[in-house]
Structure formats: C-alpha cells, structure tokens
Amino acid sequence: MALSVWQESVGTILLWAAVLLRAPFVFRSPQQRGLWLAVATAVAAMTLNLPPVVTVISDQFGQGHAVGLARNVCGVVSAAAVLYFVAEMTARPRLRRWYLRGACGVLAALLVIDTANGESHDHAVTAAEGSPLLASYWLLLIATHLVTNALCVHMCWRYGRVGEFRPLISGLRLFGMGTALAGLYWMGQLVLLFFPVNWITVCQPFLMEAHGLLRAAAILVPAATAVRCIYADITIVWRLWPLWRELTEAVPVAVTLTKSRPRVLEILWPPVPWKIFVYQKVIETRDAILVLHNHVGPALVDEAHDFVSTLNIPEVRRDAAVLAYVLHEACRMKPMSGPSKARAVPASPAWLDHGDFTSEVLFLLDVTRARQLVTRSRAGSS
C-alpha cells in the first residue's frame, strides 16, 4: 500500500508539472485545449484521490464526502473534455454541442442523486451495496466514462494510423493508450459494483497513474518536438560556426547581419529565434563562399581536385572536400576588393545549388568536416 501511495504521489506531481508546462500554449489550438483540459481535470481528480490529500482536507473541513463528490465531478469534466477533443478532431461542431449538453446533464443527474441520497458516504463504489440510489449514481458515472473512453480510443485508433505529421500521430497514439487504460479502470469499477474482487482494487491505482502519464506525454509531444527542433538548430550552428567565422572574416566585404560573437555566446543567447538564426548563418556562409569564389582561378580549382584525389574520401563527399580546399587557400590569400583576374570559368553548380535548404545545410556540414581534414593534410605536407 505504501508503494502504491508513493507511486501515485510522484506520478501526480509529474502530471501537474506537465499540465503547468503546457498551460501557456494550449489555447492556440482547439485540439490541444481538449487534450490539456482532459489531463488537467484528470490530475485534479487523481490529486483528490491521494490519501494524504483526503486526510488533510477532511481534518481541516471535516467533509470527506465533499472530496469524493468533487473528485467524481472532476472526472466527468475530464470526460467532457475528451468528448470535446473527439468532436474537434472529427470536425463536427454540432456533435460537440451534443457532447457538452450530455456532460452537463450527467453532472446535474449525479448532483441530484447525491443530494437525494441524503447520507454521508465516502464515494467508493463498494459503498453502493444495498443502496439502489447509490448504485444508479455509480452506474451513470461508470457508463459515462466507458462511453467517452470508447469513443476516444476509436477516434485515436482511426486518426493515429494515417497522416504524415508525426507529432500529431504520436500524440494521438499516446492519448489513445492512456484512455484505454482509463477504460480498464472503469471496467474494474463496474465489476466492483457487483462483486468485491480484491485484486482489481490493488491494480486500479497503477492503471490510473499509467493513464495519466500517457496522457501527459501526449500533451507534451509538441514541446518535445520543439525541443528536438531547437537541438537540431543548435547542432547545425555549433558545427557550422568555425567555417562561418573563417569565411566571414576573410571576405573583403561585409556579409554578416550582426557582429561576430564568441561561439558559446551565440549558442546561449542567439540574437534572433533559432530557426531564423540557422537560416542567417547558412545564408551568410553561402554569401561568403560566393564572394571568395570570385577570387578563385581555375588553376586553384584544378589543384584542389588533384589534392583531394590523394585523400581517402568517398566520392559523394569529394565536392565538399574540393570546396574546403579552395576556401582554405582563398582565406589564406586574404583577397582584396575586386574579383580575381585569373578567374575565367563560372562557379561550379555543385558548390552553389543543392535543391533545397536541408541539402545545402548537409553539404556545408560536409565542407566543415572536410575543412578539418584538408587543414591537417596541408599542415602535414608542408
């Protein structure tokens, strides 16, 4: 029992952290609103189910019955949020209205039944034995959750198998798995309503914690995707920075939009958002290559091809190595303003056109790696 309480407490704290982390961003998207509200109200219900919380509230206010009622109300609100999410995903506004009306009707009916019962009880399903009124209360609550969960699992299964937007598919799958576990929990409640099976009572807390964690993971998918994208951008800037610095310092004209700063400062405090910062570094590097290439003659290009042919470099990376050699020599010459008179051939298309931005980034990173090899090889041959 102590392990179960500890797990519930830690899991609930983690869920609250996920809910609070996503709170500033959820209202931009109807789907995220539904997901977030479903998780937030589910966490509220789970918090009210923790024995320490129930004990503190009961000691302070002496209303353990109110705690149980509030927990079930939060559960119905969570179910309504799930229905809202289902309606938004299926693009059926009229269905959304019917779902919300049904949830309000269930809430009203539960409050009426609870008031009509007139007895103080702990809102446990096992307390309904011998009380038809409480049995109807729990049957209505269980049926609401089972129907809601079944609709949500069906929707997540249907839309989680198609589409190309990976974060959405991952979020749907995680939310669907969490909802399926919640359905198992309520199936257990239905069994307990008629049969006192001890092992079900032992398993239920673990089901609810796993359901909450999966739903929390679902709402954190956009955040995880954003972090992954930022990490990829940071990696590109970090790897490209030595080449960018060498080229932008060597060109006889200014090609940078901002002043050069230390590498670590660029990473910790970028002057613009990361995605724009990556574009800026790539464009500035490309512009510097164009400027330096105007100072390169065909003799240096031939020399670069001859030098690269002596190195053990795969064929697919030879263009990058040739460009790295040419740029290294061009930077070493410290060109003055004006193009080289020795240049008599146009720039190689392989150096300047790679189809799309991603391909250009990959090519420049190859040039950065080849630059290190060329520098070491030149130093060793001299």
Side-chain angles (χ1 to χ4, degrees):
M1 184 61 70
L3 175 62
S4 176
V5 173
W6 179 86
Q7 184 194 26
E8 287 183 73
S9 301
V10 173
T12 303
I13 292 172
L14 293 176
L15 296 180
W16 274 118
V19 167
L20 295 176
L21 179 65
R22 290 301 300 162
F25 310 100
V26 296
F27 295 102
R28 300 175 186 174
S29 166
Q31 291 88 355
Q32 289 191 35
R33 282 198 297 269
L35 283 172
W36 182 86
L37 184 59
V39 176
T41 48
V43 173
M46 292 164 63
T47 303
L48 293 173
N49 198 42
L50 292 175
V53 175
V54 175
T55 301
V56 169
I57 296 177
S58 300
D59 290 344
Q60 293 293 325
F61 303 100
Q63 295 183 352
H65 172 81
V67 175
L69 180 61
R71 180 172 64 242
N72 289 334
V73 167
C74 287
V76 174
V77 174
S78 179
V82 170
L83 292 176
Y84 177 89
F85 168 65
V86 170
E88 286 295 332
M89 285 299 301
T90 54
R92 296 179 181 179
R94 291 184 60 185
L95 195 61
R96 180 181 61 197
R97 290 194 292 270
W98 279 107
Y99 283 159
L100 294 179
R101 289 171 184 170
C104 291
V106 169
L107 275 176
L110 291 177
L111 292 174
V112 168
I113 296 173
D114 185 79
T115 303
N117 186 62
E119 296 180 5
S120 179
H121 56 89
D122 59 358
H123 273 271
V125 69
T126 52
E129 186 178 359
S131 174
L133 203 57
L134 277 181
S136 64
Y137 174 96
W138 280 102
L139 279 174
L140 177 60
L141 183 63
I142 293 170
T144 300
H145 282 284
L146 287 178
V147 170
T148 299
N149 293 334
L151 287 172
C152 183
V153 169
H154 171 72
M155 186 276 299
C156 291
W157 173 255
R158 178 181 176 184
Y159 290 93
R161 294 182 300 164
V162 297
E164 298 179 356
F165 189 54
R166 299 300 304 175
L168 177 60
I169 293 175
S170 299
L172 285 174
R173 289 176 177 175
L174 288 169
F175 197 79
M177 288 188 291
T179 304
L181 292 179
L184 290 177
Y185 171 89
W186 287 104
M187 285 293 294
Q189 290 289 80
L190 182 61
V191 173
L192 289 174
L193 184 61
F194 300 101
F195 307 102
V197 184
N198 291 331
W199 66 266
I200 293 180
T201 306
V202 173
C203 293
Q204 282 184 317
F206 297 96
L207 285 174
M208 285 306 290
E209 287 302 309
H211 129 269
L213 289 172
L214 286 170
R215 283 188 171 182
I219 67 172
L220 286 176
V221 164
T225 303
V227 169
R228 186 176 59 190
C229 291
I230 291 175
Y231 175 77
D233 293 338
I234 290 174
T235 302
I236 292 171
V237 172
W238 180 265
R239 293 178 179 175
L240 190 61
W241 193 86
L243 178 65
W244 168 87
R245 184 187 62 175
E246 182 182 36
L247 299 183
T248 55
E249 290 179 354
V251 293
V253 294
V255 295
T256 58
L257 297 176
T258 57
K259 292 179 63 176
S260 178
R261 301 185 301 168
R263 189 180 188 181
V264 175
L265 185 60
E266 295 274 58
I267 298 299
L268 296 178
W269 191 10
V272 292
W274 270 108
K275 185 58 65 178
I276 299 176
F277 197 42
V278 172
Y279 274 98
Q280 177 182 324
K281 291 299 182 188
V282 171
I283 291 171
E284 290 172 354
T285 305
R286 177 188 172 93
D287 289 345
I289 291 174
L290 288 170
V291 172
L292 287 173
H293 199 271
N294 287 329
H295 299 269
V296 172
L300 181 56
V301 176
D302 292 339
E303 179 185 329
H305 280 285
D306 293 338
F307 180 81
V308 169
S309 65
T310 64
L311 303 177
N312 186 21
I313 296 178
E315 185 68 30
V316 294
R317 291 192 171 91
R318 289 201 173 182
D319 283 339
V322 169
L323 180 56
Y325 182 96
V326 169
L327 294 176
H328 175 73
E329 293 300 311
C331 291
R332 195 168 59 85
M333 293 178 206
K334 294 291 183 182
M336 303 298 291
S337 298
S340 170
K341 294 180 181 179
R343 182 176 180 271
V345 294
S348 170
W351 294 356
L352 302 174
D353 187 9
H354 297 277
D356 56 32
F357 181 76
T358 302
S359 299
E360 183 158 4
V361 168
L362 294 176
F363 179 74
L364 289 177
L365 293 178
D366 282 342
V367 173
T368 302
R369 287 188 288 267
R371 167 183 168 274
Q372 299 173 354
L373 177 61
V374 167
T375 303
R376 289 196 303 267
S377 300
R378 290 287 290 167
S381 63
S382 59

